Amino acid sequence: MRAMVSAPQPEAVEAGLDVLDAGGNVVDAAITAALVQTAVDPQMCGIAGFGSAQIHLADGTHTCIDFHGRAPIATRPEMWADRIVRECDDGFGFVLKGEVNEIGYQCMTTPMTLRAFGEILGRWGTRSFADALAPAIDWCEQGFEVRPHVWNFWNAPASAGRIPGIRRMTDDPSVASIYAPGGTLHGIGEVLRNPDMAATYRRIAEHGIEDFYTGQIADKIAEDMAANGGLITREDLAACQPVETAPLWLTYRGYRVATNQPPGGGLVIAIMLRILERFDLSAMGHNSPAYIATVSEAMKIATVEKDTRMGDPAFCEIPVEELLSDAYADAMADRIKRGEKTPVPRLNSGADPKETTHICVADRDGNAVTMTHSLGSSGGVITEGLGFMYNNCMMVFDPRPGRAGSLAPGKARFSALSPTILFHGEMPYLLLGAPGGTTITMGNLQAILNVVDFGMDAQQAVYAPRFTTTSNTIELTNRIFRKTEAALAAMGYPTKRHGHSYMMPTVQTIRMVDGVLDGGADPSGDGMAAGI
């Protein structure tokens, strides 16, 4: 096997493999597959979304492209301060009166995804953007069979003040005309066609990406926003530019780890790995009470740091050197060894939107792309005739002024997106990434631990039962033993057992050992890993 693709959608995996089989490189495959994802998972991701990518090529290229959306120029720090109802339980956004940050024309950050895809393909790919768009256009025109994961999002019930999923699909007539044309949402297995999105993609293929940001498509977007009280203007669209950064480096048990810089979530993973390296996790036993308690404490410590001291580095100073120092890791490990429990304060409780997607592509020569891209939980708005949905990432800003995550024009919100690569020597050893809101970093962490500390292969690493702790409560999948849960309770930990056997995030992995590739696709999603 010379190359592999792992993604939460079989259609994306196949599209990526077709590109590789036709002689394209890993970047060609990744961008083609990602565009297919926007067609067949159109609430998980889209060209009006955001994301983060890490690219490593055998020619020595190694970089990260950050394309987090920015708050529109019209944003004001205090504009929603009087609307606060509650903070989400894991700190991922706020519930506001009128849901203005969650659905509708004010909930969108600037649409960065299309610009980033164009830059990545133009710099390191070999195919034209029109060629990369072609499979996505076909899926829009011919339609795709609605998968369970897609249907579940559409029909998700209201939770802790958040709106039910069906409102995102039916409140806006332009959305309803595509997804519920007869008044009823498509069912699992039914074919959904989106000719408007196909027409938009064809125009981009013909006129170029710039049409979306400064041309005719930009005019339509700006007119729609102005007519409906939206914050995004033509000036915001023209200013959209991804940011290139160096990877954030650390080591873990002899492996070199490269992840993304803030405002991505790589620093959260780095903090946890640095602390956990001071414990013999394998001796504790996988998913034993001691293991879960120890890892959970590292998760809580990193979560508190994320909530209080991390944000857009262009707007706040993040103490990266301190957080990655030996002194800090030693102190936090000592705290855990003493039995101290780190409290995770919350304004109130809520729910965590996890609608995102991921793509991993690698070949045996050491070329690799790992990329997470998203619409947040999607804003429930489509500009008439354009077919694509906008993000709702204003939701995750802090509406309280004067904080690391507060609203400000041009600002990106810190996110958990954390595409990561582990290296054995100079060669990539493990690619991973995931959708899943703030649980992304916790799922990525456990995949790393499963491979490095417990010797699992790529599929075993994402199949193993997981937990997540981004509040004072340890959340468990239904495959964690009940005697383990009882032991955690005896240790003083509140727990929450989920009815599902698998939990978000939907981790995707590719591992390479001595030139041999194996991949993993999280069973909580609808995807797969496959190679040629």
Side-chain angles (χ1 to χ4, degrees), residues 56-62 249 254-256 258 363-368 421-431 512:
H56 177 272
L57 303 178
D59 67 5
T61 298
H62 191 187
W249 285 98
Y255 291 92
R256 298 165 62 236
D363 66 24
R364 64 189 177 194
D365 296 322
N367 300 294
I421 305 176
L422 273 67
F423 289 81
H424 186 225
E426 297 302 314
M427 288 291 286
Y429 171 70
L430 179 68
L431 276 74
M512 184 164 64

Side-chain angles (χ1 to χ4, degrees), residues 9 11-12 15 31-48 113 117 132-147 150 154 178-179 191-199 201 357 373 375 387-389:
Q9 306 83 8
E11 301 90 343
I31 297 302
T32 301
L35 287 165
V36 167
Q37 289 176 317
T38 70
V40 304
D41 232 341
Q43 281 70 56
M44 304 300 109
C45 60
I47 58 172
T113 296
F117 285 4
L133 266 173
I137 293 170
D138 288 344
W139 281 111
C140 291
E141 290 182 336
Q142 299 171 16
F144 69 95
E145 292 183 344
V146 175
R147 300 183 309 281
V150 175
W154 293 347
I178 296 170
Y179 295 96
V191 175
L192 190 151
R193 295 179 177 85
N194 192 338
D196 287 348
M197 186 185 287
Y201 283 10
T357 195
H373 60 119
L375 286 180
F388 61 84
M389 191 173 282

Side-chain angles (χ1 to χ4, degrees), residues 48-73:
F50 69 102
S52 180
Q54 184 176 171
I55 301 156
H56 177 272
L57 303 178
D59 67 5
T61 298
H62 191 187
T63 192
C64 293
I65 300 297
D66 170 70
F67 51 107
H68 282 76
R70 304 281 166 175
I73 295 167

Side-chain angles (χ1 to χ4, degrees), residues 76-140:
R76 296 294 175 264
E78 70 288 344
M79 68 184 189
W80 290 334
D82 61 348
R83 290 178 173 265
I84 299 171
V85 176
R86 63 174 67 92
E87 184 182 4
C88 293
D89 188 49
D90 65 357
F92 193 76
F94 285 74
V95 179
L96 302 185
K97 296 173 185 176
E99 299 113 3
V100 292
N101 65 335
E102 186 179 3
I103 189 170
Y105 280 85
Q106 293 192 15
C107 73
M108 310 153 191
T109 57
T110 54
M112 299 288 285
T113 296
L114 185 61
R115 181 80 82 189
F117 285 4
E119 177 170 331
I120 292 168
L121 187 66
R123 291 178 63 182
W124 299 293
T126 66
R127 294 190 159 204
S128 70
F129 203 80
D131 287 341
L133 266 173
I137 293 170
D138 288 344
W139 281 111
C140 291

